[in-house]
Amino acid sequence: PEAHERREYRYHLEPYQEHATLVLEGVRAVWSGLAQAARRLEQRAGWPEGTLRRAAELVALLHDTGKLSAGWQGWVRRYQRAIGRGAPDGFYAHTDRDPTVAEHAEAERATGRRPPHAMESALSVVPLLSSLLDDDSDRSVVRAALTAIGRHHGAFAREYSRYRLERGAPTAVKDLLVAAGLE
């Protein structure tokens, strides 16, 4: 596609835990190609070995935490109903979506824009990332991780919208970290 064309994606109703775990698996799959550079950077910066891998894994798991908001999850339920499918209880990262299906395009128009989630994701995990990454002397890794999360859809994102995490969101995040061995 040309630079100005927007690529259309197909999705399936994807639980939040599944999506985050797949992104983590992707990071782990490519890490061997990054490990040497990461070790050199850690040595040069004076960070403990493994700091960057841990940060990358946490970013992968937590990048969509803002989708645990009442706004996002409410939109998912409305959209799924609009296409004639429900969404079982739980948290979702993606809906069923096929741009070639007219009902899906109509449902998107009817339910409005998806609520933003990237900067909201970063804001929602500040205390958690700070406690899991901060070594009290250098907060640059925490800042970099939060920047990666907040800007994972736009390199210059700066604004966020008010949001409220749904009941059960903290438990979902904790369960995700435990299952990944990153608690």
Side-chain angles (χ1 to χ4, degrees):
E2 291 185 35
H4 66 278
E5 291 181 29
R6 184 176 172 155
R7 186 169 176 189
E8 295 286 335
Y9 293 96
R10 287 184 176 93
Y11 292 104
H12 68 279
L13 185 64
E14 183 179 37
Y16 169 79
Q17 289 343 61
E18 179 183 318
H19 176 70
T21 300
L22 287 171
V23 176
L24 173 64
E25 288 172 6
V27 167
R28 288 178 172 169
V30 300
W31 190 257
S32 63
L34 305 170
Q36 185 177 1
R39 264 192 308 280
R40 283 195 208 135
L41 179 55
E42 288 165 348
Q43 289 169 347
R44 176 163 238 145
W47 301 328
E49 186 175 337
T51 296
L52 291 177
R53 180 174 185 148
R54 182 170 177 81
E57 290 179 348
L58 288 166
V59 166
L61 278 179
L62 302 173
H63 78 281
D64 273 346
T65 303
K67 288 184 176 181
L68 299 178
S69 72
W72 180 274
Q73 295 303 313
W75 180 85
V76 166
R77 291 187 288 272
R78 287 189 306 278
Y79 174 86
Q80 287 295 121
R81 278 193 306 273
I83 63 168
R85 300 179 188 169
D89 287 343
F91 295 112
Y92 293 94
H94 294 126
T95 59
D96 291 314
R97 180 182 187 272
D98 183 341
T100 66
V101 175
E103 292 82 11
H104 291 201
E106 177 54 37
E108 284 187 354
R109 283 189 292 278
T111 56
R113 293 180 57 118
R114 290 181 292 262
H117 70 278
M119 290 300 286
E120 295 76 7
S121 294
L123 286 170
S124 67
V125 299
V126 168
L128 178 61
L129 271 180
S130 294
S131 70
L132 293 172
L133 289 176
D134 194 1
D135 70 359
D136 291 327
S137 61
D138 186 347
R139 295 180 184 249
S140 57
V141 175
V142 174
R143 283 193 306 272
L146 291 169
T147 300
I149 292 170
R151 295 182 171 175
H152 76 269
H153 285 295
F156 302 103
R158 297 175 55 119
E159 297 179 5
Y160 64 93
S161 297
R162 289 179 56 100
Y163 66 95
R164 179 181 50 82
L165 295 178
E166 284 210 332
R167 178 175 280 123
T171 301
V173 170
K174 180 182 177 198
D175 292 348
L176 187 62
L177 293 169
V178 169
L182 293 170
E183 72 277 7

